[in-house]
Amino acid sequence: MVFASPHSGRDRPGDMGEAAGLALSTLRSAEDVGVDGLIAEGPQRGVPIVAGRVSRAYVDLNRAPTELDPALVDGDIEAPPTARVSAGFGVIPRRAGDGTPLYDRRLTRVEAVDRLERVHAPYHEALGDLMQAARDRHGVALLIDWHSMPSRAAGAGGRNRRGVDVVLGDRHGSACRGATMRRIRALFEAQGWRVGLNTPYAGGYSTERWGRPDEGFQAVQVELNRALYLDEATLEPSADYGRFSKALDRVIVALAAETWPR
């Protein structure tokens, strides 16, 4: 296995040039706060981790490098905008996670390419090296791409209150073997968590890129409900953090002990 956490980075390079006066909470609103720390025990279980260090507000590492936003980036853009790009959430986001515009200017094509070359490309090169090495050694490589989701996206509210606890995404069955997904789901459910599949998150760029079971690569995106471990208003660990972290470590131990189907 290989663990990845593309959205846990906090660093915002000085050349970002965001709009003046943006609140820190806005700049961090799309960040998967603390996810890299929650999975930090992976290497002790024999599972390498690649984690983003740069803020998602600067570059989104779980988007294709072609997902440039013509409303933000000046110059010719060859790829037609995806729905995510049109909504303002391309590889260089135009909007923060809370919907606030991040810029009061357009980025030059040179700025955009420079960001991708300095941040996006090295991350995916590192991830690719780990995935290739895992497959060469074991015959199969399984990417677990870790994320967090706001409780509102988990279906919170009403009688359901907190909504689902975990959403597993395998691009509707195309990114991993069915037996792999069933076992991963069972490991999360063994902690008493409610687990959803592919809704509202079926997997992003990394899951699509590495979800090629016939070639020995499988991928699953994991979305953790932030209400389980985080104060969503302050982005600080909640009183439940320790308990949740221990439960997640039990999942990681079980994942690392599995022999995954080819």
Side-chain angles (χ1 to χ4, degrees):
M1 281 191 305
V2 174
F3 285 175
S5 179
H7 292 157
S8 53
R10 294 189 60 176
D11 296 344
R12 290 186 304 280
D15 65 351
M16 180 171 170
E18 70 272 18
L22 292 178
L24 181 59
S25 58
T26 287
L27 290 166
R28 298 190 66 195
S29 57
E31 180 185 327
D32 288 344
V33 178
V35 167
D36 52 347
L38 287 169
I39 63 171
E41 294 295 310
Q44 295 187 37
R45 315 299 179 187
V47 184
I49 297 174
V50 56
R53 303 295 293 274
V54 174
S55 171
R56 187 180 183 182
Y58 188 79
V59 168
D60 191 330
L61 295 169
N62 203 29
R63 298 285 183 265
T66 55
E67 288 186 273
L68 289 169
D69 188 342
L72 176 65
V73 180
D74 200 7
D76 294 332
I77 295 175
E78 296 179 2
T82 63
R84 294 179 300 205
V85 170
S86 296
F89 303 109
V91 66
I92 300 177
R94 174 166 41 92
R95 297 184 182 278
D98 63 6
T100 302
L102 287 167
Y103 300 93
D104 53 12
R105 65 185 183 95
R106 299 188 75 193
L107 275 61
T108 68
R109 175 79 182 194
V110 171
E111 283 181 281
V113 170
D114 181 63
R115 291 190 191 190
L116 298 181
E117 289 179 347
R118 288 189 292 111
V119 179
H120 191 278
Y123 174 87
H124 285 283
E125 181 179 359
L127 177 56
D129 288 346
L130 291 173
M131 290 293 287
Q132 292 286 349
R135 191 190 66 169
D136 291 347
R137 182 175 181 181
H138 302 287
V140 61
L142 172 61
L143 170 64
I144 308 293
D145 202 44
W146 297 88
H147 298 259
S148 68
M149 57 183 172
S151 56
R152 66 178 184 277
R159 295 177 63 185
N160 198 28
R161 302 186 68 183
R162 195 176 63 208
V164 295
D165 300 311
V166 178
V167 173
L168 303 177
D170 64 355
R171 299 192 66 81
H172 302 283
S174 67
C176 74
R177 301 296 187 197
T180 299
M181 179 59 104
R182 288 192 293 273
R183 184 56 183 152
I184 293 174
R185 181 176 188 173
L187 293 177
F188 280 99
E189 289 180 335
Q191 304 306 315
W193 292 331
R194 291 164 287 184
V195 179
L197 298 178
N198 291 306
T199 302
Y201 305 105
Y205 173 62
S206 295
T207 312
E208 179 180 15
R209 186 183 185 201
W210 291 107
R212 311 194 305 268
D214 291 343
E215 299 174 38
F217 298 108
Q218 301 185 57
V220 174
Q221 181 170 294
V222 177
E223 297 276 352
L224 305 171
N225 187 337
R226 294 173 190 163
L228 293 172
Y229 66 94
L230 197 70
D231 182 320
E232 293 183 88
T234 65
L235 302 183
E236 295 294 330
S238 69
D240 294 324
Y241 181 90
R243 180 172 54 187
F244 176 78
S245 179
K246 289 179 181 178
L248 189 63
D249 192 47
R250 290 194 291 270
V251 174
I252 290 172
V253 170
L255 286 170
E258 285 288 328
T259 300
W260 300 104
R262 300 185 182 184

